[in-house]
Amino acid sequence: MNWCPSCKTVLANEQVEGGACERCGTMVEQRFLEQWFFNISKYAPRLLENLNTLDWSATTKQAQRNWIGRSDGARLRFPVLDPLADAGSSAVSVTTEVRTGGTNIEVFTTRPDTIFGATYLVLAPEHPLVDALTTPMQDGVVREYRARASKQDLVSRKTSKEKTGEFTGSYAVNPATGEMIPIWIADYVLMEYGTGAIMAVPGHDERDFEFATKFELPIVRVVAGEGQTAKTPLGDEAYVGDGVLVNSEQFDGLSVDDAKVKVTAWLTSRHAGEAVTNYRLHDWCISRQRYWGPPIPIVYCDSCGTVPVPESQLPVLLPNIPDFKPDDSGVSPLARHEEWYHTPCPRCGKQARRETDVSDTFLDSAWYFLRYPSVGRDDIAFDAATTKKWLPVTTYIGGNEHAVLHLLYSRFITMVLHDAGLLGFEEPFTKFRAHGLIIREGAKMSKSKGNVVNPDEYIDKWGADSFRTYLMFLGPFEEGGDFRDSGISGVKRFLDRLWIAVRDRDESAAPDAEVMRKLHATIKKVGEDVPALSYNTAIAAMMEYMNVLRKGERTPARGEVEPLVQLVAPFAPHIAEELWTMLGHATSVFDSRWPTFDASLLASDEIELVVQVGGKTRGKVLVPKDVTQDAALAAAKADPAIGKFIIGEPKKVILVPGRLLNVVV
RNA sequence: GCCCGGGUGGCGGAAUGGUAGACGCAGGGGACUUAAAAUCCCCUUUCCGCAAGGAAGUGUGGGUUCGAGUCCCGCCCCGGGCACCA
């Protein structure tokens, strides 16, 4: 288990980032503890598959794909040679009369095509077969190696790439070649992934190559790349590229991809293995050695064993205790509370003991969206009709730091509840967008970097509306951006000008046609940008309109400025509400309709047509919006600044209606 | 190493294959003012030129196209995810 010595609790794999606790940054240790898990790994294929149907930020989906970590390959069985009969003999062909002890070593590989090059096996030091496989002669060194590996924490073990290992003294049979190959243990093989054992193909795997070189194990080429043959020496590194099989008997000449399928089929027919898909996603450890949290509703009874607390007795409430601080024992503070700890067994009524761990807080946040619409109901978790009306969540915006935490857990819980018939959907968040990170002084804001911004100071100085609008303006929402103090003044100035425009408006003046054209273009632009989360360009469009509205300190007509207040409202709600009141409305701006635009106002009869000659922009001409190609060309020739570039008969003329004319000469 | 993003003025950033640099910051000049602040107007990619004008230009090298920041191929750099995962 991952143990955080600072938080004094175990952590799920998802809550360990680069070997450190997700919450406090302390390096985690490894401890052996019995814990409760949710079987999320069973859902790995679905969690992965469904990603293709979700409208989520690409980065978030990719993070989940990486975390789930699908790999297609094969599980292969290597029979172990009877250690008494064959120990000590050198690698000889034993195709006939293989005497095996009946044990098999199962390995997972993504390269079944290279099995003819598997010259040894490696087990993780913790592999359950190690004891049985270790010969008396090797017992000392193996025992010592395992002890050393167990003491070393997982982080340094995973990061130090220096290969170490010991020979067990036993041999297995390569099911393809029939040759006997030595069985080693080494800490570069991890018990927690695959079967905890690998077939080593040093010719075509960098790690195996390094190990084989160090311990002088045989290296065989079984794949030949372009310009290589079966005899081409491997040199000083493994060949991991594509190619065709060599030194692989009947499979020689097949491509790597073909051979993966055919070798697996062949081994399957010989009962030596089968194709499998492996995932790196582990089960979710939900036990926590804390006080605050929902107790895991399990009772341990000497007669009945592990008994779940029946539904009628749920929830198990926390006892009110003064000493709720966790300690380093690995046991929850609840265990110190005798009265609570001892409870009758729900099944037989005899004295029994409660589970003292509480569940991970991520379990709570994994279903809060189900609870929220039904908070009015105390009798049930969530009401079916209400849930059907409001869920799944249409659009969810959050941080990518939850990609493999909250967002993965929520999907899993939703799937489980769906399968239990409690929900009509199996994905909780139809659309998810990850907001970007705000960068300041060249780094993402963090307490340790000392570059965090306290919003209160900015709100005091600039106002909440300015601060909020600035955050939306400083860069694309999904990419984040640079927070620079100097940038706020522009947004503040915009809101000030809006205030003045409303205050000084002319109630009787008729709106100007050109201004109204711009207004309608702005309504259109903002209306399109907001759902696309392009807040920065929406604000820019409103600023642009403000420049037109207040050009030369003109006094705007009411009809020119009133809709702008509605457009601004989602960005700067306080000032918008106040301005709306100033405009004489008795109800909230948020109860007013979103302004609509008149498309017929947007187009004018004459347009500026950009003229290119040979692809280079040479100027523009004013033409009717539905100008013909010939008329446009004539207009271009008539313009002296453009005409001088049009020498001779045009070879080709391209007119992009309403936009551009390109004359190729 | 693998997989995602991204690379555009002094800066933050705009650009359905069609005027690169919208909008904002910073900078310069001007109007108003006794003055300052505020407000308003103009300029501000680089190079050549007094100017008119011209040339170059979106990390880099090629390619497709009448036309490429945008599409395709190779490379470099930055940010993020995964990583002794077989």
Side-chain angles (χ1 to χ4, degrees):
Chain A
M1 292 308 313
N2 306 300
W3 174 265
C4 173
S6 167
C7 297
K8 297 182 175 24
T9 183
V10 296
L11 298 171
N13 276 6
E14 290 80 12
Q15 291 151 35
V16 179
E17 293 173 349
C21 172
E22 170 263 337
R23 267 191 99 108
C24 69
T26 310
M27 291 308 280
V28 303
E29 299 168 357
Q30 295 301 310
R31 287 196 177 184
F32 284 97
L33 293 167
E34 269 201 4
Q35 304 287 305
W36 285 97
F37 288 83
F38 275 1
N39 193 194
I40 190 172
S41 61
K42 185 181 164 190
Y43 283 74
R46 245 164 101 193
L47 288 166
L48 186 68
E49 267 310 300
N50 279 12
L51 284 175
N52 299 326
T53 69
L54 294 177
D55 178 15
W56 280 26
S57 292
T59 50
T60 316
K61 287 212 242 188
Q62 200 55 38
Q64 290 206 351
R65 282 197 192 100
N66 287 343
W67 188 259
I68 295 167
R70 172 184 169 133
S71 50
D72 294 312
R75 186 164 43 222
L76 304 177
R77 280 181 286 282
F78 287 67
V80 176
L81 280 178
D82 188 332
L84 297 174
D86 293 290
S89 55
S90 59
V92 289
S93 178
V94 285
T95 34
T96 55
E97 276 191 71
V98 175
R99 272 169 301 169
T100 61
T103 345
N104 286 311
I105 292 176
E106 288 208 319
V107 303
F108 173 73
T109 179
T110 55
R111 295 295 303 274
D113 55 304
T114 61
I115 190 165
F116 286 86
T119 52
Y120 61 102
L121 296 182
V122 188
L123 308 188
E126 305 86 356
H127 197 286
L129 285 176
V130 173
D131 275 335
L133 292 173
T134 305
T135 58
M137 222 163 86
Q138 293 300 100
D139 192 56
V141 285
V142 167
R143 195 186 293 267
E144 197 186 313
Y145 184 78
R146 293 182 86 185
R148 212 175 334 131
S150 71
K151 264 187 239 144
Q152 198 179 12
D153 67 292
L154 218 57
V155 179
S156 60
R157 175 171 155 185
K158 281 184 176 180
T159 46
S160 118
K161 308 268 171 176
E162 177 65 25
K163 296 283 176 293
T164 58
E166 291 292 347
F167 177 45
T168 61
S170 290
Y171 291 84
V173 179
N174 181 321
T177 62
E179 283 178 12
M180 56 186 278
I181 57 176
I183 304 168
W184 284 64
I185 62 168
D187 67 2
Y188 81 94
V189 174
L190 308 172
M191 194 59 222
E192 73 226 38
Y193 185 77
T195 61
I198 62 156
M199 66 173 201
V201 185
H204 305 285
D205 181 282
E206 286 164 13
R207 298 151 300 181
D208 298 342
F209 184 92
E210 202 185 316
F211 191 82
T213 306
K214 179 163 175 183
F215 294 103
E216 296 179 332
L217 292 155
I219 302 171
V220 180
R221 174 188 282 280
V222 289
V223 177
E226 208 150 311
Q228 299 174 333
T229 69
K231 296 206 174 75
T232 311
L234 279 151
D236 54 4
E237 58 179 11
Y239 176 73
V240 295
D242 213 350
V244 295
L245 265 62
V246 293
N247 298 324
S248 299
E249 299 179 15
Q250 70 268 38
F251 299 101
D252 281 358
L254 289 180
S255 73
V256 163
D257 282 346
D258 260 3
K260 281 182 182 172
V261 177
K262 296 200 165 124
V263 169
T264 305
W266 176 65
L267 291 170
T268 305
S269 72
R270 297 176 43 145
H271 308 292
E274 55 274 320
V276 292
T277 298
N278 200 45
Y279 297 87
R280 67 175 287 293
L281 178 69
H282 285 61
D283 283 337
W284 175 16
C285 170
I286 57 139
S287 300
R288 293 294 179 277
Q289 289 72 45
R290 324 290 327 243
Y291 169 76
W292 294 109
I296 294 171
I298 295 288
V299 168
Y300 301 99
C301 169
D302 288 335
S303 327
C304 307
T306 303
V307 182
V309 176
E311 207 171 321
S312 61
Q313 293 173 31
L314 292 179
V316 176
L317 295 176
L318 282 174
N320 194 351
I321 59 170
D323 58 332
F324 51 76
K325 283 228 169 77
D327 59 30
D328 200 47
S329 63
V331 178
S332 164
L334 292 174
R336 299 194 292 257
H337 193 71
E338 292 276 323
E339 223 174 288
W340 183 85
Y341 178 55
H342 295 292
T343 187
C345 169
R347 202 165 288 168
C348 69
K350 277 190 237 160
Q351 181 82 307
R353 302 168 308 279
R354 282 194 192 280
E355 165 65 56
T356 56
D357 286 346
V358 299
S359 64
D360 184 3
T361 51
F362 276 104
L363 178 52
D364 309 325
S365 58
W367 67 284
Y368 80 91
F369 51 91
L370 296 174
R371 176 61 185 163
Y372 272 23
S374 299
V375 280
R377 297 284 299 271
D378 285 341
D379 52 334
I380 51 168
F382 46 90
D383 171 69
T386 307
T387 300
K388 192 172 182 210
K389 181 178 175 195
W390 290 99
L391 296 171
V393 174
T394 317
T395 302
Y396 195 17
I397 290 172
N400 239 350
E401 67 273 16
H402 283 127
V404 298
L405 293 161
H406 168 60
L407 289 167
L408 189 66
Y409 296 147
S410 298
R411 294 184 60 214
F412 163 62
I413 292 293
T414 304
M415 272 180 200
V416 170
L417 293 174
H418 167 267
D419 292 354
L422 297 167
L423 289 176
F425 51 89
E426 61 175 56
E427 285 291 344
F429 315 125
T430 309
K431 175 174 167 179
F432 174 82
R433 289 293 178 274
H435 60 236
L437 291 177
I438 303 292
I439 302 297
R440 189 159 180 258
E441 291 157 10
K444 81 171 183 187
M445 287 194 192
S446 73
K447 278 185 199 157
S448 58
K449 293 234 169 58
N451 61 348
V452 289
V453 158
N454 175 6
D456 292 350
E457 293 165 24
Y458 289 83
I459 290 168
D460 285 347
K461 186 169 176 195
W462 300 98
D465 282 334
S466 297
F467 187 65
R468 178 185 155 91
T469 309
Y470 173 61
L471 287 176
M472 297 166 111
F473 181 65
L474 61 73
F477 187 79
E478 288 174 77
E479 283 164 40
D482 257 40
F483 187 96
R484 281 158 49 255
D485 291 17
S486 60
I488 305 181
S489 62
V491 171
K492 173 75 160 72
R493 196 165 298 140
F494 166 68
L495 294 176
D496 284 346
R497 296 173 81 198
L498 176 66
W499 182 273
I500 291 163
V502 173
R503 187 193 63 195
D504 298 348
R505 72 192 179 278
D506 189 331
E507 285 284 348
S508 53
D512 177 83
E514 273 308 306
V515 173
M516 289 308 274
R517 189 196 308 285
K518 186 70 179 170
L519 171 67
H520 283 255
T522 306
I523 294 171
K524 179 170 192 280
K525 173 82 174 147
V526 175
E528 287 165 356
D529 283 355
V530 168
L533 308 183
S534 300
Y535 302 136
N536 56 334
T537 52
I539 293 163
M542 291 187 285
M543 288 173 163
E544 224 176 302
Y545 178 58
M546 180 62 72
N547 289 340
V548 172
L549 190 70
R550 297 261 302 143
K551 179 93 176 168
E553 293 181 302
R554 73 186 283 277
T555 302
R558 181 191 177 95
E560 295 167 356
V561 73
E562 189 167 27
L564 182 59
V565 174
Q566 292 168 294
L567 295 184
V568 161
F571 301 90
H574 307 90
I575 193 174
E577 190 73 308
E578 188 145 355
L579 290 173
W580 195 245
T581 307
M582 279 164 63
L583 283 162
H585 297 280
T587 53
S588 168
V589 66
F590 298 102
D591 289 329
S592 72
R593 302 287 300 252
W594 185 252
T596 53
F597 65 91
D598 182 348
S600 68
L601 276 179
L602 296 178
S604 78
D605 297 337
E606 291 222 300
I607 52 154
E608 279 190 331
L609 193 69
V610 173
V611 182
Q612 295 183 342
V613 180
K616 285 185 191 236
T617 303
R618 294 301 183 183
K620 47 197 173 187
V621 288
L622 202 62
V623 294
K625 69 174 180 213
D626 51 358
V627 69
T628 63
Q629 187 170 298
D630 288 345
L633 181 59
K637 279 181 173 164
D639 186 315
I642 301 167
K644 70 180 180 187
F645 291 100
I646 306 174
I647 305 151
E649 256 325 280
K651 270 195 223 145
K652 192 169 179 182
V653 180
I654 295 129
L655 177 73
V656 182
R659 280 187 174 274
L660 166 142
L661 179 78
N662 189 9
V663 186
V664 185
V665 293

